[in-house]
Amino acid sequence: MTNGHHVVVLGAGYTGMFSAIRLAHRTRRTGVEITLVNPSSRFVERLRMHQIAAGQQLADHQIPDLLAGTGVTFVQGTATAIDPETRRVTVDGATSLGYDTLIYALGSSTDTEKVPGADVHAFTLNSPEIAGRFAARLTDVAAAGGTVTVCGAGLTGIEAACEIAESRPGLRVTLISPDEPGGMMGAKARAHLHRALDRLGITLETAARVTKLLPEGVELADGRIIRSDACLWTAGVKVSPLAADAGIATDDRGLILVDATLRSVSHPEIHAIGDAAAVRLAWGQLHGSCQSGLPTAQYTADTVAWLRSCEVAAIGQRFRQQLAILGAADVHQK
């Protein structure tokens, strides 16, 4: 890469932030310009949103402070359109940024659209603000000796249920899922998980499909209504429609279709990373997580930096383990 080349990174989550800073380090003597675009000036530690939901306070890391000394320009705003033909990104419907290379790292968010009432009667972990409102609601529910439901028993739902139950022992917590919690784990890890759920007094409703969220509870496919004074929704994710709306090739979920080097199959000057990319490896499609997102960010930063100087090898990744924090006490026991 040479002087005057402009790289725009959309999204300053784990993947976007990592790729921007690493790319700046790789190209610091070449005069490459890097611009990072994000709606908030706060760096959101998404993996720790369940701690805010349980009432804890996390450090407020400001993106401009994290970028200090890197040479990366920060633009606070929401990317509202991409024109791949002219290679421009519109921010907040007004500001226009030109790019030579675009790194698309907009990630995903909790999907509350598929189950009626979820968008009205449930909280999510999509932002510190929403998680904070849920924590405030928990205070009232706990004072009344009420019940909290967590819908979805993936790692996010499991960690959230454990954190809530541990931090507010007088609160009744019910974890609802069509699948067994920890079904993706090995036998020993799954047994440890269930011991933790028992220790924390979490009620399990498995083989339970949620059909509707009501003001007073969660309606299941078998007709039962589980009482709920506050519901946290962690079941399913969706991605931004920005790429599909721009005519960039995507799959049926809106993830950008990429080649073996994480470049868009329709627009090679666009690189997609993390949850925003449909990455297919020899063993199957890479699922969105921090474990997969950070390696794709590192790989793409190196790819973009080396693109004009050498041939880039295809990405490869395998999972050896998955991490889950089952409350602070569980961490101390390990």
Side-chain angles (χ1 to χ4, degrees), residues 189-219:
R190 189 163 57 250
H192 178 86
L193 165 62
H194 281 269
R195 286 194 297 271
L197 296 175
D198 289 341
R199 169 175 58 81
L200 293 167
I202 296 171
T203 300
L204 296 181
E205 283 286 349
T206 57
R209 185 171 63 86
V210 178
T211 55
K212 185 183 296 185
L213 262 66
L214 306 168
E216 71 280 4
V218 178
E219 182 180 285

Side-chain angles (χ1 to χ4, degrees), residues 180-194 322:
E180 178 190 2
M184 79 296 286
M185 299 177 179
K188 291 179 65 175
R190 189 163 57 250
H192 178 86
L193 165 62
H194 281 269
Q322 286 186 308

Side-chain angles (χ1 to χ4, degrees), residues 134 147-151 172-176 217-218 226-233:
F134 178 75
T147 298
V148 170
T149 53
V150 178
C151 294
R172 294 192 296 274
V173 179
T174 300
L175 183 60
I176 303 173
V218 178
I226 305 299
R227 175 70 190 178
S228 178
D229 298 296
C231 178
L232 182 64
W233 190 263

Side-chain angles (χ1 to χ4, degrees), residues 49 155-156 164 174 224 262 300 316:
M49 287 298 98
L155 293 183
T156 300
I164 292 166
T174 300
R224 290 183 297 143
L262 304 187
T300 292

